[in-house]
Amino acid sequence: MISITLPDGSVRQYDKGITSAQIALSISEGLARNVLAAEVDGEVWDASRPIEQDAHVKLLTWNDASGKSTFWHSSAHLLAEALEALYPGTKFGIGPALKEGAGFYYDVDFGDKVLSSDEFKQIEDKMIELAKAKSEYIRKPVSKADAIEYFTEKNDEYKLDLIKDLADGEITFYTQGNFTDLCRGPHIPNTGFIKAVKVMSLAGAYWRGDETRKQLTRIYGVTFPKASELTEYLAMIEEAKKRDHRRLGKELELFAFSEKVGMGLPLWLPKGTALRERLVSFLQKAQVKAGYEQVITPHIGHKNLYVTSGHYEKYGADSFQPIKTPQEGEEFFLKPMNCPHHCEIYKTKPRSYKDLPVRFAEFGTVYRYEQSGELHGLTRVRGFTQDDAHLFCRPDQVKDEFKKVIDLVLYVFKALGFENYTAQVSLRDPENKAKYIGTDENWALAESAIIEAAAEKGLSTVVELGEAAFYGPKLDFMVKDALGRKWQLGTIQVDYNLPERFELEYTGSDNLKHRPVMIHRAPFGSMERFIAVLIEHCAGNFPLWLSPEQFIILPISEKYEEYAKKLSDVLKDSDICGLIDFRDEKIGRKIRDAEVKKIPYMLIVGEKEAAEGMVSVRKHGHGDLGSMSIEDFKEQIIKEIKV
């Protein structure tokens, strides 16, 4: 007999060789029908794989992220089976589930054939036909020699290229129906779970990401266990296209990119800058109230700074290359992080235990070299500004300071309408400690501080191993937007390691030298990514206090432009921002254009309004609000902004 520990802590006894599917059946038939795979001691397994020793087991369904990932990877194999049936001689590269978003892809070599979107329906129909056969995904360990023989006979050089990097004894095949693939798994029990299929798009992809090698056809697809879920997903995709921050950023004149400036380096236009500056001002006020001091550091730093911090060792080869100066051997780097600079600010004078905590805040621009294929609007760029702060505190202050930072992050989320979020406790991978710096003792202290602080604040948390920063664990806030998509925004990190590397000190009450603990935090994360998420979350309809243009005055004709200017001056004197539409257009066209630009309030002025000292007010998305005095309108706006 073996002991199986379930997520609720209960322990059940089973015969050795029990499968996760059988465990599910012993609990309930309903659960057994929905189990896609299982997490066995932290590793995802096929539900049909025998468990030979005591283990912690979590049964995975469609409601689990790992369950969905297994479902979509299995669907990639189903896609490959369909392609092989439709286009004999097709060769296959890799077919993983997508790391971000829904679905999967498979990199395929069709030889001389060029696949077109007109054939998507034929592929989808074939996948559904094969899925209905309910073919089991059968795992089979094979020797390296047998694997080479199989794919040599099949004439698939891509699988042979993958096999050469694998050790004998760690190779497995998976077969479903008439298709066999090189794969480590895991997979869902059978193809019958797949009820709805959509081939989404095509792209080119160099084999193994090497531009010197052949370009394959990357086929993107998505599948679901219910047809209704596919319908909902496709509707969400259409809505996401309307909300795409790249499209809205252009339409609303917020930001732009220029090839001459460089890929991944955004240019903030006047309206986008106004939006961004309001966010900065909002957080700065909150930070001053919370005891932060504002600092500014250079955009570059000496190589030795990043050698000391550990950033050079971890990221140097994949970052922007050194800036060489006329002085022999002297090298600088574009700043990849603000924290090393803040450590040096801390060291500018002696610190006492009475001085701590010290809180330095900076909206600091940093630079990281992202591959061109990874760049995406504002969400993945090469130059971005972090709303960064670093707190230096005594060990006995860590938990309280961490809890105060949690309060600040939640204040930001509430003010901006992000009410659906999960706190992710990101810990280091205990099986791969070489990825991280620092002692086991310091990591244990840092991890326990985060876990305890999150619990005391009553946060809903999930734990993710291997997601820590290289210098310390962190609490990442995973926010769901209006479309239900998850984004990692605010982050808080506890760091015992950089204070050691920079030899930071304070004099304790015992008159001896001690090391401070460092807390890294960024409620927005990066201004660029946060604004991109905000644009898509509110579809460009920003809260009034954030809108770059809060009103637009629409004179019916040129005769009322002077009156419009007087109204504009009254509003601007109260820091309410807007503009006047002086164009020689009909009022209907002016209203439609203002709606497209998502300007919150339209003030229409003509003969009646000018004679009575009034304005006719329309609200974006709501229509006519009637006539009112400019003073009443001003008070209404001021009240709405305060709220």
Side-chain angles (χ1 to χ4, degrees), residues 334-501:
L334 287 171
K335 178 171 62 173
M337 289 287 224
N338 297 302
C339 36
H341 297 252
H342 290 189
C343 287
E344 289 299 304
I345 291 177
Y346 178 91
K347 290 177 72 174
T348 55
K349 66 179 184 179
R351 309 280 178 177
S352 160
Y353 72 98
K354 293 182 179 179
D355 300 326
L356 271 55
V358 173
R359 309 178 186 95
F360 295 138
E362 175 181 18
F363 288 86
T365 302
V366 298
Y367 304 88
R368 299 177 195 169
Y369 186 80
E370 299 282 356
Q371 296 294 328
S372 59
E374 299 294 322
L375 298 175
H376 183 84
L378 293 180
T379 60
R380 189 68 68 87
V381 289
R382 288 173 173 170
F384 56 94
T385 301
Q386 293 180 309
D387 59 321
D388 228 348
H390 297 94
L391 294 74
F392 302 88
C393 53
R394 304 190 308 264
D396 63 292
Q397 297 171 321
V398 171
K399 192 195 296 184
D400 282 343
E401 285 300 303
F402 200 93
K403 287 158 67 176
K404 289 176 184 175
V405 176
I406 290 175
D407 290 337
L408 181 62
V409 172
L410 299 187
Y411 168 68
V412 169
F413 287 174
K414 184 178 180 181
L416 291 161
F418 290 112
E419 298 177 357
N420 192 345
Y421 56 83
T422 301
Q424 176 178 300
V425 180
S426 299
L427 308 179
R428 70 172 173 171
D429 182 354
E431 303 300 321
N432 191 7
K433 294 180 181 179
K435 286 171 52 181
Y436 311 92
I437 61 175
T439 65
D440 289 346
E441 180 186 4
N442 283 346
W443 274 91
L445 289 169
E447 290 179 344
S448 63
I450 289 179
I451 293 168
E452 289 172 15
E456 289 178 20
K457 296 305 295 184
L459 293 180
S460 170
T461 60
V462 295
V463 175
E464 291 289 345
L465 297 178
E467 293 297 317
F470 75 92
Y471 49 78
K474 54 184 180 168
L475 188 68
D476 291 324
F477 287 85
M478 313 303 291
V479 175
K480 272 192 179 181
D481 68 11
L483 296 180
R485 298 170 300 181
K486 280 187 179 180
W487 302 88
Q488 190 269 307
L489 293 180
T491 186
I492 320 171
Q493 304 163 5
V494 176
D495 183 358
Y496 282 77
N497 295 310
L498 283 188
E500 285 194 3
R501 294 177 79 99

Side-chain angles (χ1 to χ4, degrees), residues 268-390:
W268 289 94
L269 306 181
K271 293 176 186 177
T273 301
L275 167 67
R276 180 177 163 136
E277 290 300 316
R278 286 198 176 97
L279 282 170
V280 169
S281 176
F282 160 71
L283 187 55
Q284 281 179 330
K285 287 177 183 176
Q287 288 178 163
V288 168
K289 193 174 179 180
Y292 288 80
E293 299 174 285
Q294 202 72 23
V295 298
I296 298 174
T297 61
H299 288 251
I300 64 173
H302 197 284
K303 175 182 175 180
N304 290 341
L305 179 69
Y306 307 116
V307 170
T308 300
S309 68
H311 290 98
Y312 179 76
E313 179 187 353
K314 294 292 178 183
Y315 302 121
D318 298 322
S319 191
F320 284 100
Q321 293 307 291
I323 303 166
K324 298 186 183 295
T325 72
Q327 184 171 323
E328 183 68 29
E330 187 175 53
E331 293 182 340
F332 286 78
F333 275 86
L334 287 171
K335 178 171 62 173
M337 289 287 224
N338 297 302
C339 36
H341 297 252
H342 290 189
C343 287
E344 289 299 304
I345 291 177
Y346 178 91
K347 290 177 72 174
T348 55
K349 66 179 184 179
R351 309 280 178 177
S352 160
Y353 72 98
K354 293 182 179 179
D355 300 326
L356 271 55
V358 173
R359 309 178 186 95
F360 295 138
E362 175 181 18
F363 288 86
T365 302
V366 298
Y367 304 88
R368 299 177 195 169
Y369 186 80
E370 299 282 356
Q371 296 294 328
S372 59
E374 299 294 322
L375 298 175
H376 183 84
L378 293 180
T379 60
R380 189 68 68 87
V381 289
R382 288 173 173 170
F384 56 94
T385 301
Q386 293 180 309
D387 59 321
D388 228 348
H390 297 94

Side-chain angles (χ1 to χ4, degrees), residues 14 127 152 190 235 314 414 428 433 468 505 524 612 617:
Y14 294 99
M127 289 178 69
T152 299
N190 65 69
K314 294 292 178 183
K414 184 178 180 181
R428 70 172 173 171
K433 294 180 181 179
E505 295 179 338
F524 292 146
E612 298 177 359
V617 182

Side-chain angles (χ1 to χ4, degrees), residues 247-256 267-273 548-549 597:
R247 183 176 71 83
L248 289 173
K250 185 176 182 179
E251 288 179 3
L252 302 179
E253 299 176 16
L254 301 176
F255 60 88
L267 300 170
W268 289 94
L269 306 181
K271 293 176 186 177
T273 301
E549 294 165 337
K597 291 180 180 177

Side-chain angles (χ1 to χ4, degrees), residues 526-550:
S526 88
M527 298 298 296
E528 285 71 15
R529 182 179 173 84
F530 190 89
I531 289 173
V533 175
L534 180 63
I535 290 170
E536 298 194 3
H537 178 61
C538 66
N541 298 302
F542 301 113
L544 183 63
W545 65 276
L546 268 182
S547 294
E549 294 165 337
Q550 295 162 327

Side-chain angles (χ1 to χ4, degrees), residues 28 34 49 85 126 146 200 234 305 396 404 469 522 556:
S28 80
N34 290 295
R49 187 171 170 182
K126 190 64 177 178
D146 287 344
M200 299 297 293
L234 294 177
L305 179 69
D396 63 292
K404 289 176 184 175
I556 289 177

